[in-house]
Amino acid sequence: MAGRQQTDVFALIPLRLHDYPVLLTLGTFTLSFIVSVFMDRFAVPKRVRRAKRQGMTWKNYVFDVAVRLPIIALVFAGFFAISWRPLYAGAGTMSFFIIFMAISRAKFQFIREPLVFSDIALVADVFKYKTIFYASKLNIVFWIVSFSYVFGVSGLYMWFEPHVLPEHNHLFWIFVMWLIANVTWFLLFFAPINAPIAATVQRFMPVIEPRLITVRFGTFCSVIFNFLIWLGVRREKIVAEMSNRILAAFQDLIDQYTTDKAPVVVVWQSESFIDMRHFDVPGLALPTIDRMKQRAVQWGRLNSVFEGGYTLRTEFAVLSGLQPDDIHVDASYPYLRASHYADVVWPGKMRAAGWKTHFVHPYDRTFFLRHKAMPQLGFDHMSMLDSFDHDPGRDGPYVNDDKLTEKVLGICEEVPEDQPGLVFVASMANHGPWEPDRVPGMTDPVEIYLELLQQSDRALAKLLDGLNHLDRPVWLLFYGDHAPLLKSFADPFPDPRTDYFIVPLSAARKAQHAPTFPKNEDPANLVRVLLNHAGLNKERLS
């Protein structure tokens, strides 16, 4: 018999399974493969699964299951390599895939997107910024239960299940199995191997649509396939293709202006902002928003890049002028490879044309890797949380828009009169969670959110007045990045489109201005549209 003497538990089984290690290993792998594939069905709701499966044949289904085989086999090999126990390897593999499926389903229930590969890069942020990710339950109890399960169950298997190591040369076989389980993963980072694998994966997964690929390949396998494409894709080719197609929209910024003073463009991204009056909420007064509607050269509803979260996706679309399809696999977390897009995004183009560029965000500079991404995208200066006198115990979780407005006005005043300036502002004031007493005396999340909207509206009036007093052309682009995760109001939001306004101020205002009708717009078009209205780009609106 291979391995040590079986314990009394296994002695009770009439057939001594571990006397047939090869058959037992193949059997447990087969079982874990079937269970993993079956359980992955529940990563998204049934209605989504049916919708994404429409038009697919049984041959498509067989192929989609078959390509998971090497990934599941490698996971099984990993558990087997550390234990040489087939039952443990099978149970570990099933648990592994079920846990990933459960995480994906929980994420889908929360923000209607399954797990994607870039979420792995956010794991550290989830635990560091639990409040903003609504992950406050990830406390010490969570860790105790998690570690007790992992190490407790593993310990039981190690104690009760005999190993199936060959009787001789234990270290040799342990090393061989370790190589099989791990070297393959390391080789994926080797360009000559990764490139053809990534090209192969891209052929059967040409569209990176999270719901579709999760339905087709399951949670963990779709994460791995997505990662392989991300790792192997040639971004120089993507950027070159984009440049040939859309460079006309980015080039030839005019360096002569209608006045003797250069313009300042302020882009204000209000996180989680949406005008709740669209949904007939009574008693909500937003006079500054109404004022902007009257003064805007263009305003309306903004088509959401993503509903309820992932500010960076909308933010990058605005900054870059690129649609998610333009950047393919980078769309879910563009800041991971921000440097590849430095020459085609708006801040980089503006800085190259002599503009002063400044990014303002009153939150931790490392969040979403902005501390690395923003300089790469063309921002000369950054004002982050450490630039503000903010005490969460005294001031609440985020810097309010009143303080932020003071900072922004000060930055705008420092832009030299003969130099154009871009100031991009990402406000946190309306962001959730909307917990009891965030606004003193209020406990209902909807009431808290509405009050925060009104506070931001008052700060916005201060911003407009301050920018109007600058003796130069000023343009304000204000927009909400996504609908709030306000599940006590609606889940999902009946219409997740947010609001945007392009407003000329100070010397940019015309003496006679007629109100305009609302117009739907995509985030990627906002800066181009503003520059065209301002006459700062040779390309004109048709």
Side-chain angles (χ1 to χ4, degrees):
M1 182 187 73
R4 64 175 173 79
Q5 185 67 33
Q6 290 180 317
T7 65
D8 291 340
V9 172
F10 285 90
L12 296 176
I13 302 176
L15 178 64
R16 299 169 70 87
L17 299 176
H18 290 72
D19 285 346
Y20 308 92
V22 175
L23 288 177
L24 178 60
T25 302
L26 290 174
T28 52
F29 169 70
T30 302
L31 177 63
S32 63
F33 179 82
I34 293 171
V35 171
S36 299
V37 170
F38 176 79
M39 292 303 296
D40 257 330
R41 294 161 48 87
F42 304 105
V44 296
K46 188 176 182 180
R47 57 180 172 76
V48 175
R49 189 168 67 248
R50 284 182 171 176
K52 296 301 179 182
R53 279 286 178 197
Q54 282 185 352
M56 292 188 183
T57 65
W58 67 268
K59 290 182 179 179
N60 297 135
Y61 181 75
V62 170
F63 175 83
D64 291 348
V65 171
V67 295
R68 305 185 205 186
L69 184 62
I71 303 297
I72 297 176
L74 283 172
V75 173
F76 181 91
F79 282 103
F80 189 83
I82 63 174
S83 67
W84 280 83
R85 289 166 170 81
L87 297 181
Y88 172 74
T93 301
M94 288 183 282
S95 296
F96 183 88
F97 280 88
I98 289 171
I99 289 171
F100 264 87
M101 177 277 298
I103 293 172
S104 184
R105 184 58 179 265
K107 182 192 171 190
F108 191 97
Q109 293 297 110
F110 199 59
I111 53 176
R112 285 166 288 285
E113 182 187 74
L115 198 69
V116 296
F117 93 99
S118 57
D119 291 330
I120 308 303
L122 292 173
V123 168
D125 280 348
V126 170
F127 292 104
K128 185 177 180 181
Y129 310 105
K130 292 196 288 282
T131 300
I132 201 170
F133 280 104
Y134 305 88
S136 54
K137 292 182 179 179
L138 300 179
N139 51 26
I140 188 64
V141 175
F142 168 84
W143 288 112
I144 291 174
V145 172
S146 299
F147 280 106
S148 296
Y149 171 75
V150 171
F151 292 104
V153 173
S154 296
L156 290 174
Y157 270 100
M158 297 299 177
W159 179 258
F160 287 108
E161 182 184 6
H163 65 71
V164 292
L165 264 170
E167 293 183 3
H168 305 290
N169 301 317
H170 283 189
L171 291 179
F172 170 77
W173 289 110
I174 290 173
F175 179 69
V176 168
M177 194 63 221
W178 184 91
L179 287 178
I180 293 173
N182 294 284
V183 168
T184 303
W185 295 110
F186 291 121
L187 289 176
L188 294 177
F189 293 88
F190 186 49
I193 292 177
N194 173 266
I197 293 176
T200 301
V201 173
Q202 211 163 354
R203 278 196 289 272
F204 65 75
M205 204 170 80
V207 178
I208 309 296
E209 201 283 286
R211 295 186 183 193
L212 175 62
I213 62 176
T214 300
V215 168
R216 289 187 62 194
F217 308 113
T219 301
F220 184 71
C221 292
S222 65
V223 166
I224 294 298
F225 292 149
N226 206 334
F227 174 71
L228 289 172
I229 295 175
W230 179 85
L231 200 61
V233 71
R234 290 181 55 207
R235 286 167 183 81
E236 315 84 55
K237 183 179 179 181
I238 293 177
V239 172
E241 289 174 352
M242 286 189 300
S243 298
N244 293 333
R245 192 169 69 251
I246 60 175
L247 259 183
F250 293 113
Q251 63 188 6
D252 293 334
L253 290 171
I254 291 177
D255 56 5
Q256 294 182 359
Y257 314 106
T258 55
T259 67
D260 59 347
K261 296 179 180 178
V264 167
V265 173
V266 177
V267 180
W268 188 291
Q269 173 179 270
S270 183
E271 298 194 19
S272 298
F273 174 87
I274 193 169
D275 189 340
M276 295 289 279
R277 295 175 297 183
H278 295 307
F279 313 107
D280 299 322
V281 173
L284 178 61
L286 301 174
T288 312
I289 294 295
D290 296 334
R291 176 180 162 195
M292 288 201 299
K293 288 179 183 178
Q294 296 300 313
R295 296 186 178 183
V297 294
Q298 186 173 320
W299 65 281
R301 305 295 295 278
L302 189 66
N303 300 321
S304 300
V305 173
F306 192 81
E307 179 186 349
Y310 288 106
T311 293
L312 80 164
R313 299 184 188 178
T314 306
E315 184 175 279
F316 185 78
V318 173
L319 287 172
S320 67
L322 302 176
Q323 299 286 1
D325 288 346
D326 291 328
I327 57 175
H328 192 50
V329 73
D330 288 329
S332 61
Y333 198 165
Y335 293 163
L336 285 175
R337 289 291 185 267
S339 60
H340 289 274
Y341 303 97
D343 294 333
V344 296
V345 298
W346 286 115
K349 283 289 180 182
M350 290 175 163
R351 182 172 64 179
W355 289 54
K356 181 177 182 179
T357 54
H358 200 128
F359 182 82
V360 186
H361 182 48
Y363 201 64
D364 193 312
R365 64 176 51 245
T366 65
F367 190 57
F368 285 149
L369 299 178
R370 285 188 176 102
H371 65 304
K372 295 181 179 179
M374 292 309 164
Q376 292 173 340
L377 294 178
F379 285 101
D380 289 318
H381 306 279
M382 294 178 65
S383 295
M384 307 300 278
L385 183 60
D386 50 17
S387 301
F388 295 82
D389 177 22
H390 179 69
D391 179 359
R394 178 193 66 202
D395 306 321
Y398 310 120
V399 173
N400 63 50
D401 279 351
D402 193 64
K403 285 185 178 180
L404 183 57
T405 293
E406 293 178 2
K407 171 68 74 173
V408 171
L409 290 175
I411 291 170
C412 291
E413 289 171 355
E414 293 174 358
V415 178
E417 291 184 350
D418 60 348
Q419 182 182 19
L422 169 69
V423 182
F424 188 98
V425 187
S427 162
M428 296 287 292
N430 297 312
H431 201 288
W434 303 276
E435 296 176 335
D437 291 325
R438 178 172 167 182
V439 175
M442 291 187 179
T443 57
D444 179 67
V446 177
E447 289 183 1
I448 292 171
Y449 178 69
L450 297 179
E451 174 58 27
L452 292 174
L453 287 183
Q454 293 180 110
Q455 291 179 12
S456 292
D457 189 82
R458 291 191 289 271
L460 187 55
K462 182 177 178 180
L463 177 70
L464 291 180
D465 293 340
L467 294 177
N468 259 325
H469 281 93
L470 295 178
D471 186 20
R472 64 195 305 167
V474 179
W475 288 82
L476 172 66
L477 165 59
F478 177 94
Y479 69 92
D481 63 337
H482 56 70
L485 274 172
L486 202 59
K487 292 183 178 291
S488 59
F489 175 77
D491 186 22
F493 248 70
D495 184 348
R497 293 177 303 163
T498 59
D499 303 271
Y500 78 94
F501 307 88
I502 299 174
V503 185
L505 298 167
S506 191
R509 293 179 61 187
K510 294 181 179 179
Q512 301 294 327
H513 170 70
T516 57
F517 292 101
K519 179 181 179 180
N520 279 354
E521 195 59 86
D522 290 328
N525 295 333
L526 289 178
V527 174
R528 176 183 60 83
V529 170
L530 182 151
L531 293 176
N532 285 325
H533 279 298
L536 298 175
N537 195 321
K538 289 181 180 178
E539 181 188 81
R540 292 291 187 267
L541 290 174
S542 59

